[in-house]
């Protein structure tokens, strides 16, 4: 239990630091930006209470907002995937599978499953994030292109991170 | 009550989500400038679009007249441009536009201080004490607050609020607005305001009675307000009297612009406005 707490605190801190220090500085073609930090929400154990999940998502988003100076934008987007995560999980995997393992990790669930899971969550998150940021449905196509390209980058980074830093 | 708590407990995740989401979205709207502007402008946008649709219907009937007026204005401007060119370059006149225009621009003494653009009137009123005009251009098109608004070279008002695609103008027919104006013939200046009675007449005050005034004298802008260039026509003096117990004339000025028929207006931007305002603000701070 204590080990788990420490482990997820570490993931939380590392996700935020990586996002704030490295990925926030990446902006390709003035429109593609990766949002890596939601990895933390992705990795939480299956049996995390939903209320706790919401609180942690909100806290995570708010922290990112503090660093990017956009109060509420990341908070509302990551809250959204915190809320939708149980639904997404139920959608993409059978119940027995979720009961048999502890956390949604590559080594537990396989690369294909994890990539699909990450894609769902990242696309939902980015969709919300970019539309709240743009705050308009004008230039719908441009926002959509930004969402798709940024999502691809985020998904690649999140999946890669599973093999590079969060191996354990 | 018990049932309420049961309901709350059963859906506590949804409630928590809604509360937190509302909180973060309210933060978005409250603290981020862009979203705030977009949020509060959308109401503006809806009403503006409505106005624009309706006014364009009515204005179809006015277009013929507008065309004639604009052609006249073009002619006046061309004449003024040529006159100015001749003054600055005596004996150096080229008939071709393409040759002399760039030269004027390069000449630093004639560096363009005022920039002119046009906009269409989408809403206008003359029957209130505080009349405003709505134009179909906003900050998206470079409109800023305090730009002067003219029609056919005659003063109409001052840009007041600007949204993304629309702007509102304080009309000269607004009892709260004053502009400095002078009599063109002798350069005595006073302040011009409207008493709220007749939409064709405004009042010029603070002209001392030793100044010779005649009916028919033209009243023009002074350029002190820096929203308008000097010498834009406001109207002509139609009546004047010496107020009892006062050292100043009461002068009635017949407006040159027809406020009932505004369709296309010009916007005047003073590129040096900020510099002037900054400098002037130093005077106040010094006290």
């Amino acid at each position: 239990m204590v080990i788990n707490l420490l482990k997820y605190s570490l993931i939380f801190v590392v996700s935020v630091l990586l996002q704030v220090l490295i990925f926030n500085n990446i902006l390709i073609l003035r429109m593609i930006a990766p949002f890596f930090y939601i990895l933390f929400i992705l990795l939480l154990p299956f049996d995390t209470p939903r209320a706790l999940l919401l609180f942690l998502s909100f806290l995570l988003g708010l922290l990112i907002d503090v660093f990017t100076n956009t109060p509420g934008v990341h908070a509302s987007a990551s809250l959204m995937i915190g809320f939708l995560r149980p639904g997404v999980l139920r959608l993409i995997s059978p119940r027995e599978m979720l009961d048999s393992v502890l956390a949604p990790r590559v080594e537990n669930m396989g690369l294909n499953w994890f990539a699909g899971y990450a894609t769902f969550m990242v696309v939902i998150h980015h969709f919300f994030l970019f539309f709240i940021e743009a705050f308009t449905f004008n230039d719908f196509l441009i926002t959509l292109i930004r969402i798709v390209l940024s999502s691809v980058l985020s998904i690649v980074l999140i999946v890669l991170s599973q093999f590079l830093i969060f191996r354990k | 009550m018990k049932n309420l708590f049961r309901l709350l407990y059963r859906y506590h995740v949804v409630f928590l989500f809604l509360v937190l989401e509302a909180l973060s979205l309210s933060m978005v709207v409250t603290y981020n400038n862009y979203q705030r502007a977009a949020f509060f402008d959308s109401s503006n946008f809806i009403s503006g679009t409505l106005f624009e649709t309706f006014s364009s219907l009515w204005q179809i009937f006015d277009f013929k007249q507008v065309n004639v007026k604009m052609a006249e204005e073009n002619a006046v401007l061309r004449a003024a441009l040529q006159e100015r060119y001749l003054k600055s370059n005596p004996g150096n006149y080229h008939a071709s536009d393409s040759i002399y225009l760039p030269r004027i621009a390069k000449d630093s003494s004639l560096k363009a201080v005022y920039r002119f653009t046009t906009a269409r009137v989408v809403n206008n009123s003359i029957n209130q004490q505080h009349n405003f005009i709505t134009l179909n251009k906003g900050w998206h098109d470079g409109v800023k607050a305090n730009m002067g608004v003219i029609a056919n070279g005659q003063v109409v008002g001052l840009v007041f609020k600007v949204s993304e695609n629309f702007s509102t103008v304080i009309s000269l027919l607004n009892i709260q607005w004053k502009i400095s104006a002078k009599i063109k013939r002798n350069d005595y200046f006073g302040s011009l305001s409207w008493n709220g009675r007749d939409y064709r007449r405004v009042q010029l005050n603070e002209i001392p009675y030793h100044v010779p005034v005649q009916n028919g004298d033209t009243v023009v802008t002074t350029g002190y307000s820096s929203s308008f260039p000097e010498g834009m026509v406001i109207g002509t003096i139609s009546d004047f009297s010496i107020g009892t117990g006062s050292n100043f004339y009461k002068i009635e000025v017949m407006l040159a612009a027809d406020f009932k028929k505004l369709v296309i207006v010009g916007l005047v931007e003073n590129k040096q406005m900020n510099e002037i305002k900054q400098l002037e603000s130093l005077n106040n701070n010094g006290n």
Side-chain angles (χ1 to χ4, degrees), chain B residues 17-63:
Chain B
F17 168 71
L18 289 178
V19 167
L20 288 178
E21 190 70 59
L23 186 69
S24 42
L25 285 179
S26 71
M27 273 194 279
V28 172
V29 174
T30 321
Y31 294 111
N32 300 351
N33 280 326
Y34 171 67
Q35 276 88 348
R36 184 169 52 212
F39 183 76
F40 290 113
D41 275 355
S42 54
S43 53
N44 223 335
F45 176 76
I46 291 165
S47 61
T49 311
L50 197 73
F51 283 142
E52 187 168 18
T53 316
F54 274 93
S55 69
S56 56
L57 271 179
W58 288 114
Q59 284 167 5
I60 290 172
F61 301 108
D62 289 334
F63 268 142

Side-chain angles (χ1 to χ4, degrees), chain B residues 139-186:
Chain B
W139 50 255
H140 203 74
D141 312 283
V143 177
K144 293 171 194 143
N146 291 325
M147 276 170 78
V149 179
I150 56 173
N152 302 320
Q154 296 144 357
V155 174
V156 167
L158 199 68
V159 174
F160 182 52
K161 296 268 180 189
V162 184
S163 69
E164 183 174 3
N165 294 307
F166 297 96
S167 48
T168 57
V169 176
I170 301 191
S171 162
L172 248 185
L173 302 180
N174 188 315
I175 55 173
Q176 277 186 336
W177 190 44
K178 282 184 178 176
I179 179 179
S180 78
K182 66 181 183 185
I183 300 169
K184 192 180 181 187
R185 190 163 52 90
N186 52 27

Side-chain angles (χ1 to χ4, degrees), chain A residues 87-128:
Chain A
V88 171
L89 283 174
R90 237 174 292 137
L91 195 73
I92 58 171
S93 49
R95 180 165 281 277
E96 317 82 72
M97 201 170 164
L98 299 185
D99 289 339
S100 61
V101 286
L102 253 177
R105 310 288 296 262
V106 176
E107 64 267 27
N108 296 340
M109 311 296 289
L111 178 60
N112 276 344
W113 184 91
F114 189 82
Y117 170 56
T119 305
F120 256 98
M121 298 285 278
V122 166
V123 168
I124 295 171
H125 173 264
H126 283 32
F127 195 86
F128 257 85

Side-chain angles (χ1 to χ4, degrees), chain B:
Chain B
M1 207 60 191
K2 208 173 168 186
N3 281 337
L4 182 67
F5 282 125
R6 199 177 295 156
L7 186 79
L8 274 177
Y9 180 72
R10 193 164 163 207
Y11 293 107
H12 72 284
V13 172
V14 178
F15 283 123
L16 184 63
F17 168 71
L18 289 178
V19 167
L20 288 178
E21 190 70 59
L23 186 69
S24 42
L25 285 179
S26 71
M27 273 194 279
V28 172
V29 174
T30 321
Y31 294 111
N32 300 351
N33 280 326
Y34 171 67
Q35 276 88 348
R36 184 169 52 212
F39 183 76
F40 290 113
D41 275 355
S42 54
S43 53
N44 223 335
F45 176 76
I46 291 165
S47 61
T49 311
L50 197 73
F51 283 142
E52 187 168 18
T53 316
F54 274 93
S55 69
S56 56
L57 271 179
W58 288 114
Q59 284 167 5
I60 290 172
F61 301 108
D62 289 334
F63 268 142
K64 196 174 164 191
Q65 224 179 342
V66 172
N67 278 342
V68 175
K69 267 192 189 166
M70 287 179 87
E72 280 170 8
E73 192 180 352
N74 277 347
V76 173
L77 289 175
R78 257 167 232 250
L81 190 66
Q82 227 160 56
E83 190 184 15
R84 192 153 184 193
Y85 173 73
L86 284 174
K87 259 189 213 163
S88 61
N89 298 295
N92 195 12
Y93 177 72
H94 299 275
S96 163
D97 282 357
S98 58
I99 293 172
Y100 76 76
L101 271 175
R103 284 202 186 178
I104 287 182
K106 269 183 209 160
D107 187 344
S108 65
S109 67
L110 280 174
K111 201 167 66 181
V113 175
Y114 292 95
R115 203 168 62 87
F116 294 84
T117 48
T118 60
R120 204 154 61 81
V121 174
V122 296
N123 191 25
N124 183 16
S125 72
I126 55 165
N127 54 8
Q128 291 160 18
Q129 300 290 292
H130 304 271
N131 290 303
F132 289 93
I133 301 167
T134 312
L135 305 180
N136 71 337
K137 288 196 176 168
W139 50 255
H140 203 74
D141 312 283
V143 177
K144 293 171 194 143
N146 291 325
M147 276 170 78
V149 179
I150 56 173
N152 302 320
Q154 296 144 357
V155 174
V156 167
L158 199 68
V159 174
F160 182 52
K161 296 268 180 189
V162 184
S163 69
E164 183 174 3
N165 294 307
F166 297 96
S167 48
T168 57
V169 176
I170 301 191
S171 162
L172 248 185
L173 302 180
N174 188 315
I175 55 173
Q176 277 186 336
W177 190 44
K178 282 184 178 176
I179 179 179
S180 78
K182 66 181 183 185
I183 300 169
K184 192 180 181 187
R185 190 163 52 90
N186 52 27
D187 279 343
Y188 277 98
F189 76 93
S191 83
L192 191 90
S193 59
W194 187 50
N195 60 11
R197 292 200 196 116
D198 182 350
Y199 79 92
R200 288 169 307 173
R201 283 193 177 82
V202 291
Q203 287 68 42
L204 179 61
N205 309 307
E206 295 163 27
I207 300 280
Y209 69 71
H210 66 82
V211 177
V213 175
Q214 279 174 18
N215 280 342
D217 275 350
T218 309
V219 176
V220 298
T221 54
T222 55
Y224 296 163
S225 72
S226 65
S227 288
F228 296 98
E230 188 193 343
M232 302 226 89
V233 177
I234 296 170
T236 52
I237 294 176
S238 66
D239 190 21
F240 63 94
S241 58
I242 298 169
T244 45
S246 158
N247 287 331
F248 301 111
Y249 282 113
K250 288 165 78 176
I251 300 177
E252 294 278 319
V253 178
M254 190 71 138
L255 283 170
D258 189 344
F259 279 70
K260 250 189 154 171
K261 284 188 185 166
L262 293 178
V263 180
I264 303 285
V265 293
L267 289 160
V268 188
E269 182 186 7
N270 185 347
K271 291 185 188 166
Q272 296 174 342
M273 168 103 74
N274 281 338
E275 193 181 332
I276 293 171
K277 287 267 146 80
Q278 260 171 24
L279 186 65
E280 286 177 350
S281 72
L282 291 180
N283 298 349
N284 299 331
N285 295 341
N287 287 335

